[in-house]
Amino acid sequence: MDSTRPALRLFVLHHAGGSHLLYRHWPARLPGTWDVRLLDAPGHGFLLDEPQITDAGRLADFLLRRVEHELNVPYALFGHSMGALLAYEMTRLAVERGLPLPVWVGLSARPAPQSADPPRELSDDELRARLRRLGGMPEGVIDDSGLWDRFYPVIRGDLRLVANWRPAADAAPLPVALSAFAGREDHSAAPALMAGWQEHCEHYLGLRAFDGGHFYFQDDPGPLLRHIERDAATALDAAGAAHSP
């Protein structure tokens, strides 16, 4: 990016146990007029040495404060899995605090609150098996005892955050444009469960379903990125029209 004002600033929020690394190629594959920022939660990625935050509200507050000075241009949020509920919470906090709102929010692979199954604590073996099935972990972490011991507490903390998250009972639908994204073979966040996000926003742009499981975009993010580009551009155009004289 040069000093030119970006057409859109897109913040990308990662999944439980992950970091910006899975999304590191996205900025080069999205429009050159966008400023794409890959955020890490404390205890992850570039913030690996910072204390982990295992409460969704506190983590959303941390992330929003971290980027608040960058909300001076049209911006959007995209979150995958744990990142989806953080994108929701960050938007809710922005509404509550009177901050500029995102022109678009994309929520991927996290069921709407009313559709989520009650959580169950997994044993160590069950957790390893589930992570293998879902994908999205750096290669070797699950089977390398040293790496597993390092990342296990972080993964557990993230899963605890997801399991304990509940939106505020009196939360109004978000006054933003929102799209939902799902893998057709994702049993934890199937398209039917993702469609429930329509009830939590005022401007629902629809559900986008893709072949694949929980990390349906891991091998080829192209189809997802094209939908992100189209939906965000649609919302950006609508926001511009609404503010035209």
Side-chain angles (χ1 to χ4, degrees):
M1 285 293 301
D2 57 24
S3 60
T4 304
R5 177 183 171 92
L8 182 73
R9 181 164 285 146
L10 174 66
F11 297 100
V12 179
L13 298 143
H14 64 76
H15 56 285
S19 73
H20 72 278
L21 284 174
L22 183 61
Y23 313 89
R24 64 191 182 279
H25 300 302
W26 287 24
R29 300 187 63 173
L30 286 165
T33 56
W34 290 15
D35 179 18
V36 182
R37 303 295 182 90
L38 310 181
L39 301 183
D40 282 319
H44 305 69
F46 288 128
L47 303 184
L48 188 63
D49 294 329
E50 295 197 18
Q52 185 178 11
I53 299 174
T54 58
D55 174 80
R58 287 179 53 228
L59 181 51
D61 175 71
F62 172 91
L63 293 168
L64 185 60
R65 291 184 187 279
R66 194 172 180 88
V67 304
E68 187 173 341
H69 67 286
E70 297 183 283
L71 308 184
N72 56 346
V73 299
Y75 76 97
L77 301 172
F78 175 88
H80 179 71
S81 199
M82 180 182 78
L85 67 86
L86 293 173
Y88 170 87
E89 283 294 319
M90 288 173 70
T91 306
R92 189 185 63 77
L93 285 175
V95 173
E96 187 178 285
R97 295 174 184 172
L99 297 174
L101 300 183
V103 296
W104 176 78
V105 176
L107 304 182
S108 170
R110 171 64 197 175
Q114 72 273 20
S115 305
D117 291 330
R120 180 177 72 84
E121 186 78 9
L122 301 177
S123 69
D124 186 78
D125 287 342
E126 288 175 324
L127 178 57
R128 287 177 188 253
R130 184 185 181 200
L131 292 174
R132 284 194 188 92
R133 184 171 65 252
L134 292 178
M137 290 296 296
E139 190 172 348
V141 168
I142 299 173
D143 297 314
D144 183 302
S145 59
L147 288 174
W148 179 252
D149 289 345
R150 172 66 182 85
F151 286 101
Y152 173 81
V154 175
I155 296 167
R156 280 290 189 192
D158 284 352
L159 293 178
R160 193 174 304 118
L161 178 154
V162 172
N164 292 335
W165 174 71
R166 299 290 184 278
D170 59 349
L174 299 178
V176 300
L178 184 148
S179 304
F181 300 87
R184 294 187 180 92
E185 290 77 50
D186 183 359
H187 301 297
S188 64
L193 302 179
M194 292 298 299
W197 282 109
Q198 182 173 2
E199 300 177 21
H200 297 271
C201 66
E202 293 182 2
H203 310 291
Y204 186 59
L205 298 186
L207 170 69
R208 318 308 184 196
F210 303 85
D211 292 337
H214 195 67
F215 289 93
Y216 54 89
F217 57 84
Q218 186 168 3
D219 293 334
D220 178 13
L224 169 62
L225 295 179
R226 298 290 74 76
H227 276 284
I228 290 175
E229 183 177 346
R230 284 196 290 268
D231 283 4
T234 296
L236 186 62
D237 289 345
H243 289 92
S244 297

